[in-house]
Amino acid sequence: MTVTLEPPTPARPPASVAAVRVPNRTTGGELRAIKIVFYRELLRFLSDRIRIVTALVQPVLFLFVLGSGLGTLVNLGPGLSLRTFFYPGILGMSVLMTAMMAAASVVWDREYGFLREMLVAPVRRGSLVLGKCLGGAVIAGFEGLVVIAIAGLVQVPYSPTLMIEVFGIQLLLAFTICAFGMMMAARIQQMQSFMALNMLLIMPMYFLSGSMFPSRHLPTWLTVLNRIDPLTYAVDPLRRLVFDHLHVTAATRASLDAGVSWDGWHVPTLLEVGVVAVMGVFMLAVAIAAFSRSE
Amino acid sequence: MAGIPAVPGGAGREEGAGRLVAVATIADEEQRAVAVSARGLVKSYGDIQAVRGIDLDVFSGETFGFLGPNGAGKSTTISMLCTLLTPSAGSAQVAGFDVVRQRDDVRRHIGLVFQDQTLDGYLSAQMNLRLHGELYGVPASVLPERTERILKMVGLWDRRKSKVNTFSGGMRRRLEIGRGLLHSPRVLFLDEPTVGLDPQTRASIWSYIQELKATEDITMFMTTHYMDEAEYCDRIAIMDDGRIIALETPEALKASVGKDRIRITTDDDAKAIGLLGERFGLEANMSEGEVTFSVEEGEHFVPRLFSELPVAIRSVSVARPTLDDVFMAYTGRTIRDAEASASDINKQMMARMGRRPR
């Protein structure tokens, strides 16, 4: 009976599992969070081999089936096939598809509950979103590399500078698209809804971007839509880079690779890249704000 | 593994055994650190109040249970304490931090085991723990060792490299509980930790929880709507309709309901009923072929019964009041009735939402 009179706590054996002191929030802690979320994205991607392949089906279909098929109808000039003309757009499209799928994974995470585990962690939501976007960008960049690797099949030379510059733009585009996807995913609860929205946005974005036609001399409504499409500002520099390495006449190049203009003013390449970067940062900020508000 | 059954039987039972402990607890209140406290906590959605003002103190090292039917407001309350929901009114502190103003500090000091699974099924058990450790800032130097200890504790060390998708429901739950402990939280919140599991798995989860209680200096705060599980707790708050209607040790709660029910079969039941009335002043009657009556401290009464009742007794059973009886005594209905009416309320709510707002 004396036992019951003792206060219940002290008779406890020493903790068998070493106690850990969790330190306060630090920049280091945030970096660690970004790193581990990034790492998880890569792990998930590498373990999902089907996704690696399926993400490439559509770009390849566009390039070879549509490119070869439509190529019989048009004559772009000596030494230039429609496939080659499509190629810069396909470099962008492969990234677009994969980056959107990477962003979509946050909707899966929400449906399967894992998002909750991340959201309740004592780290900034921004670190989680940034880690996810960087992870998605690298995954999409990897898919982009595959498309770079098939350059020879569409008569584009394997030049190291070309490949490096193209890859740089792909990475940047991938990041921006990921941020765009995350911005949408922040408000979407179900995968079906995201997929529907994805289909609704991806194809128009691709078609409007000037991937399949030069963005000069379009009807006004199409010009307006073309100029507000973020993909336009990635496809145009990609095309310029590719055409720099092709042997085509100046006239052909002038009609097919005319560049993007704002009200008659020719937008320089660096500014185009800047537009993609600024859009990416802006959409990332919107995504972070949206995730910070929820729960 | 051999040590597990000994723990709950030992320290755990003694703590809960007598009301003396409860008295000592209150006397020591000054010294004992409060791990969770709430004052006037309210959560309302429009004009519907899910939680209608809750006051409670949970002491450090205690296992505290929230018991009540579905829809009583348990999960809403626990979500507010875990900083997942912002209270509409009132205040709460967890591990010394305010749940609204010091949200991150609270999160760093609590472990959460949710009602729904929150593991990444495509990653290994080990990777799930690593992710958690990195997000919670567990120092990299201790993380591998800590992960190993946790995995061994929940009995999943051999399966550490398997994807969580290949685990059974019980294994996932164990992993989630282990994960909740990885960053050495001061308070572990468990929202319906055994819901949807088979009885055997439920029992094994409880033996883990009891073991934890013995080995880790941790406060556990859990919700359940299983009456039998509530008895593992040091103290229980019974919730109904957004309010705490009773807060006591399981023993004290049961004692407040009072008498044990004794059922006997004898050679001459009619005579036994008569004698029970004459000699002991007990009102006995026949129920399901047995002589049934109620008495305080039934196990002490049985020896007297044998020595003083001049009728041969063939069998005896003593039934202590269960928490089901307690819930019944406080609310006038069983948990099942309460859940049925809660779903009625939900239907009414849906119907009202369908109409135009007033």
Side-chain angles (χ1 to χ4, degrees), chain B residues 110-126:
Chain B
I110 60 173
L112 293 170
V113 178
F114 298 106
Q115 205 166 329
D116 309 308
Q117 185 197 280
T118 60
L119 295 163
D120 186 339
Y122 292 96
L123 298 179
S124 66
Q126 200 170 22

PDB file of all heavy atoms in Angstrom, chain B residues 110-126:
ATOM      1  N   ILE B 110       6.650  18.567 -29.749  1.00  0.00           N
ATOM      2  CA  ILE B 110       5.608  17.542 -29.705  1.00  0.00           C
ATOM      3  C   ILE B 110       5.819  16.517 -30.815  1.00  0.00           C
ATOM      4  O   ILE B 110       6.434  16.813 -31.832  1.00  0.00           O
ATOM      5  CB  ILE B 110       4.186  18.146 -29.847  1.00  0.00           C
ATOM      6  CG1 ILE B 110       4.031  18.882 -31.180  1.00  0.00           C
ATOM      7  CG2 ILE B 110       3.879  19.066 -28.679  1.00  0.00           C
ATOM      8  CD1 ILE B 110       2.627  19.362 -31.457  1.00  0.00           C
ATOM      9  N   GLY B 111       5.330  15.317 -30.560  1.00  0.00           N
ATOM     10  CA  GLY B 111       5.286  14.299 -31.603  1.00  0.00           C
ATOM     11  C   GLY B 111       3.827  14.096 -31.956  1.00  0.00           C
ATOM     12  O   GLY B 111       2.959  14.199 -31.095  1.00  0.00           O
ATOM     13  N   LEU B 112       3.573  13.833 -33.218  1.00  0.00           N
ATOM     14  CA  LEU B 112       2.187  13.677 -33.657  1.00  0.00           C
ATOM     15  C   LEU B 112       1.991  12.331 -34.326  1.00  0.00           C
ATOM     16  O   LEU B 112       2.758  11.963 -35.201  1.00  0.00           O
ATOM     17  CB  LEU B 112       1.835  14.759 -34.681  1.00  0.00           C
ATOM     18  CG  LEU B 112       1.795  16.199 -34.186  1.00  0.00           C
ATOM     19  CD1 LEU B 112       1.676  17.144 -35.362  1.00  0.00           C
ATOM     20  CD2 LEU B 112       0.623  16.364 -33.259  1.00  0.00           C
ATOM     21  N   VAL B 113       0.983  11.634 -33.891  1.00  0.00           N
ATOM     22  CA  VAL B 113       0.586  10.434 -34.616  1.00  0.00           C
ATOM     23  C   VAL B 113      -0.862  10.661 -35.016  1.00  0.00           C
ATOM     24  O   VAL B 113      -1.743  10.749 -34.168  1.00  0.00           O
ATOM     25  CB  VAL B 113       0.743   9.165 -33.752  1.00  0.00           C
ATOM     26  CG1 VAL B 113       0.282   7.947 -34.519  1.00  0.00           C
ATOM     27  CG2 VAL B 113       2.185   9.008 -33.313  1.00  0.00           C
ATOM     28  N   PHE B 114      -1.061  10.833 -36.312  1.00  0.00           N
ATOM     29  CA  PHE B 114      -2.376  11.218 -36.798  1.00  0.00           C
ATOM     30  C   PHE B 114      -3.291  10.024 -36.939  1.00  0.00           C
ATOM     31  O   PHE B 114      -2.852   8.881 -37.014  1.00  0.00           O
ATOM     32  CB  PHE B 114      -2.256  11.873 -38.176  1.00  0.00           C
ATOM     33  CG  PHE B 114      -1.447  13.123 -38.185  1.00  0.00           C
ATOM     34  CD1 PHE B 114      -0.184  13.143 -38.724  1.00  0.00           C
ATOM     35  CD2 PHE B 114      -1.963  14.287 -37.655  1.00  0.00           C
ATOM     36  CE1 PHE B 114       0.567  14.302 -38.744  1.00  0.00           C
ATOM     37  CE2 PHE B 114      -1.228  15.447 -37.666  1.00  0.00           C
ATOM     38  CZ  PHE B 114       0.040  15.458 -38.214  1.00  0.00           C
ATOM     39  N   GLN B 115      -4.567  10.354 -37.032  1.00  0.00           N
ATOM     40  CA  GLN B 115      -5.580   9.321 -37.254  1.00  0.00           C
ATOM     41  C   GLN B 115      -5.370   8.660 -38.623  1.00  0.00           C
ATOM     42  O   GLN B 115      -5.504   7.469 -38.773  1.00  0.00           O
ATOM     43  CB  GLN B 115      -6.933  10.019 -37.212  1.00  0.00           C
ATOM     44  CG  GLN B 115      -8.073   9.153 -36.843  1.00  0.00           C
ATOM     45  CD  GLN B 115      -9.283  10.000 -36.494  1.00  0.00           C
ATOM     46  OE1 GLN B 115      -9.176  11.110 -35.989  1.00  0.00           O
ATOM     47  NE2 GLN B 115     -10.445   9.469 -36.753  1.00  0.00           N
ATOM     48  N   ASP B 116      -5.033   9.472 -39.625  1.00  0.00           N
ATOM     49  CA  ASP B 116      -4.786   8.934 -40.962  1.00  0.00           C
ATOM     50  C   ASP B 116      -3.291   8.775 -41.165  1.00  0.00           C
ATOM     51  O   ASP B 116      -2.505   9.525 -40.602  1.00  0.00           O
ATOM     52  CB  ASP B 116      -5.314   9.903 -42.031  1.00  0.00           C
ATOM     53  CG  ASP B 116      -6.747  10.298 -41.761  1.00  0.00           C
ATOM     54  OD1 ASP B 116      -7.565   9.393 -41.571  1.00  0.00           O
ATOM     55  OD2 ASP B 116      -7.021  11.503 -41.708  1.00  0.00           O
ATOM     56  N   GLN B 117      -2.947   7.831 -42.004  1.00  0.00           N
ATOM     57  CA  GLN B 117      -1.527   7.578 -42.235  1.00  0.00           C
ATOM     58  C   GLN B 117      -0.843   8.774 -42.909  1.00  0.00           C
ATOM     59  O   GLN B 117      -1.387   9.408 -43.804  1.00  0.00           O
ATOM     60  CB  GLN B 117      -1.382   6.366 -43.134  1.00  0.00           C
ATOM     61  CG  GLN B 117       0.081   6.007 -43.286  1.00  0.00           C
ATOM     62  CD  GLN B 117       0.332   5.103 -44.456  1.00  0.00           C
ATOM     63  OE1 GLN B 117       0.111   3.915 -44.347  1.00  0.00           O
ATOM     64  NE2 GLN B 117       0.786   5.655 -45.563  1.00  0.00           N
ATOM     65  N   THR B 118       0.366   9.082 -42.453  1.00  0.00           N
ATOM     66  CA  THR B 118       1.116  10.174 -43.067  1.00  0.00           C
ATOM     67  C   THR B 118       2.535   9.728 -43.398  1.00  0.00           C
ATOM     68  O   THR B 118       3.475  10.503 -43.307  1.00  0.00           O
ATOM     69  CB  THR B 118       1.188  11.409 -42.157  1.00  0.00           C
ATOM     70  OG1 THR B 118       1.840  11.039 -40.950  1.00  0.00           O
ATOM     71  CG2 THR B 118      -0.174  11.960 -41.831  1.00  0.00           C
ATOM     72  N   LEU B 119       2.690   8.445 -43.758  1.00  0.00           N
ATOM     73  CA  LEU B 119       4.019   7.957 -44.155  1.00  0.00           C
ATOM     74  C   LEU B 119       4.142   8.060 -45.670  1.00  0.00           C
ATOM     75  O   LEU B 119       3.143   8.102 -46.374  1.00  0.00           O
ATOM     76  CB  LEU B 119       4.175   6.494 -43.741  1.00  0.00           C
ATOM     77  CG  LEU B 119       4.168   6.197 -42.250  1.00  0.00           C
ATOM     78  CD1 LEU B 119       3.920   4.719 -42.017  1.00  0.00           C
ATOM     79  CD2 LEU B 119       5.468   6.629 -41.593  1.00  0.00           C
ATOM     80  N   ASP B 120       5.382   8.092 -46.160  1.00  0.00           N
ATOM     81  CA  ASP B 120       5.589   8.022 -47.604  1.00  0.00           C
ATOM     82  C   ASP B 120       5.778   6.553 -47.973  1.00  0.00           C
ATOM     83  O   ASP B 120       6.829   5.970 -47.703  1.00  0.00           O
ATOM     84  CB  ASP B 120       6.815   8.846 -48.008  1.00  0.00           C
ATOM     85  CG  ASP B 120       6.970   8.921 -49.523  1.00  0.00           C
ATOM     86  OD1 ASP B 120       6.409   8.046 -50.219  1.00  0.00           O
ATOM     87  OD2 ASP B 120       7.650   9.841 -50.010  1.00  0.00           O
ATOM     88  N   GLY B 121       4.735   5.984 -48.560  1.00  0.00           N
ATOM     89  CA  GLY B 121       4.736   4.559 -48.837  1.00  0.00           C
ATOM     90  C   GLY B 121       5.801   4.100 -49.818  1.00  0.00           C
ATOM     91  O   GLY B 121       6.179   2.939 -49.839  1.00  0.00           O
ATOM     92  N   TYR B 122       6.292   5.024 -50.651  1.00  0.00           N
ATOM     93  CA  TYR B 122       7.276   4.642 -51.663  1.00  0.00           C
ATOM     94  C   TYR B 122       8.699   4.683 -51.143  1.00  0.00           C
ATOM     95  O   TYR B 122       9.629   4.327 -51.852  1.00  0.00           O
ATOM     96  CB  TYR B 122       7.146   5.543 -52.898  1.00  0.00           C
ATOM     97  CG  TYR B 122       5.866   5.313 -53.636  1.00  0.00           C
ATOM     98  CD1 TYR B 122       4.760   6.113 -53.414  1.00  0.00           C
ATOM     99  CD2 TYR B 122       5.752   4.250 -54.522  1.00  0.00           C
ATOM    100  CE1 TYR B 122       3.563   5.876 -54.070  1.00  0.00           C
ATOM    101  CE2 TYR B 122       4.564   4.010 -55.189  1.00  0.00           C
ATOM    102  CZ  TYR B 122       3.479   4.826 -54.961  1.00  0.00           C
ATOM    103  OH  TYR B 122       2.296   4.579 -55.618  1.00  0.00           O
ATOM    104  N   LEU B 123       8.849   5.138 -49.916  1.00  0.00           N
ATOM    105  CA  LEU B 123      10.198   5.168 -49.330  1.00  0.00           C
ATOM    106  C   LEU B 123      10.311   4.093 -48.265  1.00  0.00           C
ATOM    107  O   LEU B 123       9.316   3.600 -47.743  1.00  0.00           O
ATOM    108  CB  LEU B 123      10.474   6.544 -48.718  1.00  0.00           C
ATOM    109  CG  LEU B 123      10.467   7.736 -49.678  1.00  0.00           C
ATOM    110  CD1 LEU B 123      10.743   9.024 -48.914  1.00  0.00           C
ATOM    111  CD2 LEU B 123      11.493   7.566 -50.792  1.00  0.00           C
ATOM    112  N   SER B 124      11.550   3.741 -47.933  1.00  0.00           N
ATOM    113  CA  SER B 124      11.778   2.723 -46.908  1.00  0.00           C
ATOM    114  C   SER B 124      11.449   3.290 -45.533  1.00  0.00           C
ATOM    115  O   SER B 124      11.332   4.502 -45.356  1.00  0.00           O
ATOM    116  CB  SER B 124      13.233   2.292 -46.951  1.00  0.00           C
ATOM    117  OG  SER B 124      14.055   3.368 -46.565  1.00  0.00           O
ATOM    118  N   ALA B 125      11.331   2.380 -44.569  1.00  0.00           N
ATOM    119  CA  ALA B 125      11.051   2.783 -43.195  1.00  0.00           C
ATOM    120  C   ALA B 125      12.153   3.717 -42.703  1.00  0.00           C
ATOM    121  O   ALA B 125      11.901   4.763 -42.115  1.00  0.00           O
ATOM    122  CB  ALA B 125      10.970   1.547 -42.304  1.00  0.00           C
ATOM    123  N   GLN B 126      13.380   3.328 -43.009  1.00  0.00           N
ATOM    124  CA  GLN B 126      14.534   4.099 -42.567  1.00  0.00           C
ATOM    125  C   GLN B 126      14.509   5.513 -43.171  1.00  0.00           C
ATOM    126  O   GLN B 126      14.748   6.499 -42.485  1.00  0.00           O
ATOM    127  CB  GLN B 126      15.786   3.374 -43.029  1.00  0.00           C
ATOM    128  CG  GLN B 126      17.016   3.755 -42.281  1.00  0.00           C
ATOM    129  CD  GLN B 126      18.164   2.815 -42.622  1.00  0.00           C
ATOM    130  OE1 GLN B 126      18.171   2.170 -43.676  1.00  0.00           O
ATOM    131  NE2 GLN B 126      19.124   2.727 -41.739  1.00  0.00           N
TER     132      GLN B 126
END
